[in-house]
Amino acid sequence: MPEMHRTKQARDRYNVLWEWANPVKFMWFSGLALPWLVGATVVTMAVGLVWGFFFTPEAVNFGSSVKIIYVHVPSAMMAISAWFMMLVASLIWLIRRHHVSALAAKAAAPVGTVMTIIALITGAIWGEPMWGTYWAWDPRLTSFLILFLFYLGYMALWGAIEDPDTAADLTSVLAVVGSVFAFLSRYAVNFWNQGLHQGATLSLDKDENIANVYWIPLLFAMAGFGLLFVALVFVRTRTEIRKRRTHALELRERMADA
Amino acid sequence: MIALLARDLRLAFRAGGGFGLGLAFFLIVSVLVPFGVGPEAEVLARIAPGILWVGALLACLLSLDRIFQLDFEDGSLDLLATAPIPMEGTVAVKALAHWITTGLPLVLAAPVFGALMSLDERGYWWIFVTLLIGTPALSMIGAFGAALTVGLKRGGLLLSLLVLPLYIPTLIFGAEAATRGIGGFDNATPLLMLAGITAASVALLPFAASAALRINLR
């Protein structure tokens, strides 16, 4: 019957996607992809940063301090993207119980935290000459500080719970609820204080973006940070899976001894 | 559920400490801040809503681990989990009990402490109203945090770290509504947002909290 056939096909296609959640397959694929990923990261980051730092003109009002955007903007972008990725991975773990997903969320958290710290510190370094202060309670700055607190809480919860499945479950619940509150905080903070930080200079739907001389190296830097994030998450997820395996092997050995 | 509420309230009153602790902390904050800031009435009146809100929030934070911890340790939480009332109901009742023992005394006492911070009559009213609307959200969010950390030996610090960012929107809208109300400005927006946070927390967080409790009891 043609209809049944079609549904089976659809189901097969559907299953193909989830096969990547198999740890063995993930290890195979990530092992294969990692050298390429690292290579691409090094190339794009080198192009973006070197181009941005040394071969762009100095902006009229900002002098050479404008060049910090090649670190600041990509890291800020990845700080938010990393949390979003953790949310999606947490949802996949809660709904479909794929262990790789939970471990990927765990692996992404420290990377996202570091990205948040980089964004905050580069922002402070930029803010001192431009605004005359390292820190202002500006909505964007404050939102990032709150995001940083969310990351800290998330990682602390992972660290505090011994049983890995319980930890994965509880951190996933925290990620879901935390995302709602993080979104709410963003709104609340905007309401609370109109800030110093400039609005979005980079968006796809506006006519007036920054000039192409800055924009193109920035694109490279953003791609580089994105690839860096993926590569780091791959490495860390592989480590987590291996750790899980050694733990399982140890347990088995102890059982055999007893 | 009423029996559970009565039981929790009885425990809180008779065990001692739980009931007065938040209030005492609130008192400490309100008394110490003028010593730190200086006795000028204008300065105190200006920072009073913020200080009172932060004090209420911290006093609330102080007693959060009592919501589930004791019941978890003596095993009554397992019994409650297998009881005919749904887990969500248990969580909601426990959050309510926490609010009655911690939030409500703070709400009632806030105008008195407002006098220490040289607020005027309008100040008493708005502090009272914003805390009355906002503290249930604090209890409910706290119950969620407590449910996440109930299985841990030393969950107190972690609980504070988890709950801190979750409290920020409530604090912002609550303090903003109080400040604007005292200043005589229109404060409908923050007040409605505050009420919205409370309503949404009470409606949705029991599900998240009971999911966390079920995981911890597994």
Side-chain angles (χ1 to χ4, degrees), chain A residues 219-235:
Chain A
L219 273 184
F220 271 102
M222 275 154 65
F225 269 77
L227 286 168
L228 175 69
F229 172 74
V230 177
L232 285 175
V233 170
F234 268 27
V235 172

Side-chain angles (χ1 to χ4, degrees), chain B residues 31-40 42-47 51 117:
Chain B
V31 170
L32 285 186
V33 163
F35 289 120
V37 176
E40 293 91 359
E42 308 90 69
V43 179
L44 284 180
R46 203 164 59 78
I47 62 171
I51 296 292
M117 308 283 294

